[in-house]
Amino acid sequence: MTGTVYYKKFDIGWLRLESLDGAIIKVDYVDEAGESDAPDKVIEQCVRELEEYFNGGRKSFDVKINPDVSGTPFQQSVWKQLRMIPYGETISYKTLAERISGSNYSRAVANANGKNPISIIIPCHRVIASNNQLGGYTGGLDRKKLLLSVEGRS
């Protein structure tokens, strides 16, 4: 299943954006640009909103997303909870696990967090370890630090 694929370089590096049926289905970090399609309207909106976010002018995203085209029901429940973490705030994997299952499934939540198909827009970078350390990040810790600093967290 492939929709429109577009590569764009931001301060954080290259992003691969993919849309399908009028919604963003992927925002991935890549080392370099691949072959891009002409951006459709939803990708153009996504690029605009990401630029505004990185320039400090946007705290939430309006672009239509559809992460449900991939992932298990558990992963989708994690991604839904991630979207509820406010801009500029962080929570622990343990807290996120408790919100989802009422128990401490931190490892499963961290795994689902790492499979987030729509980085930045679904803010998996806002989840940190219980000891206030950054924990991991699929895009790399330097990118996680940059995203948190954009949001006023150091």
Side-chain angles (χ1 to χ4, degrees), residues 25-140:
I25 61 169
K26 285 200 181 289
V27 175
D28 289 329
Y29 298 105
V30 293
D31 293 331
E32 58 187 45
E35 189 173 326
S36 278
D37 298 318
D40 59 18
K41 289 186 186 298
V42 72
I43 286 180
E44 288 174 349
Q45 178 183 357
C46 185
V47 166
R48 232 179 2 264
E49 291 186 12
L50 284 166
E51 288 172 340
E52 292 167 356
Y53 169 83
F54 285 117
N55 290 328
R58 175 170 289 275
K59 295 185 178 183
S60 64
F61 293 90
D62 299 321
V63 67
K64 183 177 178 186
I65 64 171
N66 185 5
D68 299 338
V69 298
S70 62
T72 66
F74 178 77
Q75 289 169 337
Q76 291 173 17
S77 70
V78 171
W79 303 335
K80 184 177 181 180
Q81 282 296 318
L82 290 172
R83 294 176 68 192
M84 295 180 190
I85 305 169
Y87 178 93
E89 293 185 21
T90 57
I91 65 169
S92 69
Y93 292 100
K94 180 179 179 183
T95 300
L96 183 58
E98 289 169 349
R99 288 181 183 177
I100 292 165
S101 63
S103 303
N104 186 7
Y105 287 102
S106 298
R107 210 171 284 226
V109 165
N111 189 340
N113 198 39
K115 291 186 173 28
N116 171 16
I118 307 176
S119 294
I120 304 167
I121 296 171
I122 298 178
C124 54
H125 60 277
R126 295 179 186 156
V127 183
I128 60 173
S130 295
N131 62 3
N132 285 327
Q133 298 296 312
L134 289 181
Y137 188 62
T138 303

